[in-house]
Amino acid sequence: AVVSTQSTGAGVNDEFIARLEEPWKYSTGVPGKAIRDQMMDGLNHWLGVEKPVLDQIKKLIGILHEASLLIDDIQDNSTMRRGQPAAYLIYGKSEVINIANLKYFEAGRLALELPDFSSCDVDKCEPSRIFNDWMIKLHQGQGLDIYWRDHFVCPTIDQYIDMVLRKTGGLMMLAFDLMYIFRAPHRQNKRFDKKSGDEFMATFSRMFQIRDDFCNLWDAKYAANKSYCEDLTEGKFSWVIVQGVLKEQAAGRSQIMSILKQRTSDDNVKRHCCKLLESLGVQKETQELLMEMEVELHRQIEEFGGNELFQTIVDRLSMKRVEILTS
């Protein structure tokens, strides 16, 4: 008998399609800090987006964030995520890449389902276009980070900040841009317009990433949830590493760059690198920079008329809350 190649109907693979979600459920089963949801609640104090639209934007951003973490762990060879083994170590790289890509498209569908505007006072008001533009920038930022790491190229300060605004700032700016076009007319704050909002979010993104880079090497809680000085094992050109490499280059030395090339897992070598960075003043200068950025964010918040929710977020990210490891 000839075997029929006609489908027997919809639903024949439902059981297996459901199983594709296992790496996603594993990864999202341990909740993160929800900083992006809190950030959007803070922004909404100024923008007044209606709850159904805000909830959909939150869902979209949440999916993108979780999917990007799945991919990041593979690209960075990370072994831990939120205190448990990275998803790809349990389910394999292929399954995890596939579900992460699937989730990107689910997020894109949510953007398509947001209403369009026939008229708007800012450029690019279509939610789907905003989504695509920032997805491109996000992948450019991630690509720069990977390229510098894999080709042992230390970026300049300007190049590093541009990467941060694409990669880390991408999701935050996507959230802001989507929320801004859905803002409530009666809640318009002339002091918090598109230009000032962009500048505020850029400052917040820079602080968020530089703080994360600092914590990767010197925060006790970070080491417990991920691993000790993971950026050194990855060979990543983080803010503190870039500062250290540039300082050594100016002095005709290359010890930090040499350590970075080893992709070391040796804690003694990592502690030695941290001591080098401390001796170069990188730890102290970065702490001071982050404290200055914290003050600047609080100043901007007051200038926009105050925002208790966002003040709380900035306070949570304060250097005063970081339990600094001794090298």
Side-chain angles (χ1 to χ4, degrees):
V2 177
V3 177
S4 173
T5 59
Q6 296 297 315
S7 172
T8 57
V12 294
N13 268 321
D14 284 356
E15 179 186 347
F16 290 108
I17 288 173
R19 291 183 187 178
L20 301 181
E21 296 277 336
E22 283 191 28
W24 181 258
K25 291 176 181 177
Y26 169 83
S27 180
T28 58
V30 180
K33 297 183 285 291
I35 194 77
R36 286 158 188 83
D37 274 5
Q38 295 162 25
M39 177 201 77
M40 285 181 274
D41 287 334
L43 287 172
N44 212 39
H45 173 80
W46 290 313
L47 299 175
V49 177
E50 293 183 358
K51 189 177 186 303
V53 176
L54 178 61
D55 286 347
Q56 183 143 332
I57 295 172
K58 280 184 176 182
K59 184 177 180 181
L60 181 160
I61 296 297
I63 289 172
L64 288 179
H65 175 58
E66 294 290 345
S68 70
L69 296 182
L70 291 174
I71 298 294
D72 280 354
D73 286 344
I74 294 171
Q75 292 175 326
D76 299 344
N77 292 312
S78 298
T79 59
M80 299 288 288
R81 172 67 64 182
R82 295 171 182 163
Q84 66 179 16
Y88 76 94
L89 294 175
I90 305 296
Y91 295 96
K93 293 179 181 179
S94 298
E95 277 194 51
V96 171
I97 290 170
N98 186 74
I99 192 63
N101 286 339
L102 186 153
K103 294 297 176 179
Y104 284 153
F105 286 105
E106 284 188 7
R109 184 169 60 191
L110 289 173
L112 284 169
E113 290 171 355
L114 288 167
D116 280 333
F117 282 80
S118 58
S119 62
C120 187
D121 61 351
V122 294
D123 292 335
K124 301 178 183 177
C125 285
E126 305 92 340
S128 58
R129 182 172 178 179
I130 292 171
F131 176 89
N132 283 331
D133 285 351
W134 277 112
M135 285 297 285
I136 289 169
K137 290 177 183 178
L138 277 160
H139 283 81
Q140 288 172 337
Q142 178 76 345
L144 288 169
D145 206 14
I146 293 169
Y147 181 89
W148 295 333
R149 178 196 72 193
D150 290 354
H151 294 265
F152 303 109
V153 176
C154 182
T156 66
I157 297 301
D158 286 345
Q159 288 170 336
Y160 176 85
I161 292 300
D162 178 71
M163 179 276 293
V164 166
L165 293 178
R166 293 172 189 271
K167 180 183 174 183
T168 307
L171 275 185
M172 297 178 178
M173 293 299 297
L174 170 58
F176 170 66
D177 282 357
L178 289 174
M179 290 179 67
Y180 192 81
I181 63 173
F182 290 102
R183 69 196 185 282
H186 66 280
R187 291 281 290 276
Q188 289 200 23
N189 182 338
K190 291 183 179 179
R191 290 171 290 186
F192 190 73
D193 58 12
K194 185 66 171 68
K195 183 174 182 295
S196 60
D198 283 343
E199 291 170 354
F200 176 75
M201 292 305 297
T203 303
F204 181 72
S205 300
R206 288 194 297 268
M207 176 189 170
F208 189 89
Q209 184 60 58
I210 292 172
R211 179 188 182 277
D212 191 71
D213 289 349
F214 180 94
C215 289
N216 192 281
L217 299 193
W218 286 296
D219 181 25
K221 292 179 183 176
Y222 199 106
N225 283 324
K226 293 277 280 177
S227 61
Y228 178 58
C229 295
E230 186 180 49
D231 284 350
L232 296 179
T233 303
E234 180 191 333
K236 179 180 179 180
F237 285 97
S238 68
W239 172 266
V240 289
I241 295 297
V242 170
Q243 295 284 335
V245 169
L246 293 177
K247 284 174 178 285
E248 279 203 328
Q249 284 178 348
R253 299 194 301 271
S254 59
Q255 196 171 154
I256 295 170
M257 178 69 92
S258 296
I259 291 171
L260 213 58
K261 289 179 178 180
Q262 306 311 312
R263 305 286 199 264
T264 185
S265 297
D266 189 310
D267 285 354
N268 289 323
V269 176
K270 292 180 182 181
R271 276 190 284 271
H272 176 74
C273 188
C274 287
K275 286 179 181 177
L276 275 175
L277 291 166
E278 290 162 20
S279 69
L280 290 166
V282 172
Q283 185 193 59
K284 183 173 183 294
E285 289 170 9
T286 304
Q287 285 178 284
E288 291 172 350
L289 172 64
L290 286 165
M291 287 187 283
E292 289 171 8
M293 296 175 88
E294 181 185 342
V295 170
E296 173 60 17
L297 284 169
H298 278 302
R299 185 196 67 76
Q300 290 183 47
I301 290 168
E302 288 304 313
E303 192 176 275
F304 298 146
N307 187 324
E308 188 175 335
L309 288 169
F310 229 113
Q311 285 174 332
T312 300
I313 294 170
V314 176
D315 287 340
R316 276 186 61 196
L317 297 174
S318 173
M319 287 304 295
K320 297 172 186 174
R321 292 177 174 268
V322 177
E323 184 183 340
I324 296 177
L325 288 166
T326 53
S327 300

